[in-house]
Amino acid sequence: EKSTLYFSLACFAVILRVIVSGEFTILRLFPDLPFLFLMRLDYLTMPLTLASGSLFFHSLFPDSFKKIIS
């Protein structure tokens, strides 16, 4: 089912954002990661969360969203 996939992607993106941002918990596991990579990963998680969350709600309530591409 698509909604379960989209929800799991949203959860994964949020978990990744929590690990990367804040106290940089990921640096405890991988201390040699470059800072620029961490910043890119941090900025990548926000649109990923937004997109997968939107797809999740669209898959649950398809009649409530307009079609963008026909």
Side-chain angles (χ1 to χ4, degrees), residues 20 46 60 62:
V20 170
M46 186 57 70
L60 285 180

Side-chain angles (χ1 to χ4, degrees), residues 6-17:
Y6 297 141
F7 183 72
S8 62
L9 286 175
C11 289
F12 177 73
V14 168
I15 289 171
L16 189 61
R17 182 163 179 85

Side-chain angles (χ1 to χ4, degrees), residues 3 5 8-9 13 16 28 36 42 45 47 51-52 55 58-59 61 69-70:
S3 62
L5 173 68
S8 62
L9 286 175
L16 189 61
R28 292 183 185 146
L36 185 60
D42 187 24
T45 56
S52 57
L55 287 171
H58 178 68
S59 66
F61 310 109
I69 300 173
S70 33

Side-chain angles (χ1 to χ4, degrees), residues 37-52:
F37 174 75
L38 292 175
M39 287 294 104
R40 288 181 179 167
L41 194 60
D42 187 24
Y43 286 121
L44 178 70
T45 56
M46 186 57 70
L48 181 62
T49 304
L50 181 66
S52 57

Side-chain angles (χ1 to χ4, degrees), residues 14-27 29 38:
V14 168
I15 289 171
L16 189 61
R17 182 163 179 85
V18 167
I19 289 173
V20 170
S21 64
E23 296 182 14
F24 294 103
T25 308
I26 198 166
L27 286 177
L29 299 172
L38 292 175

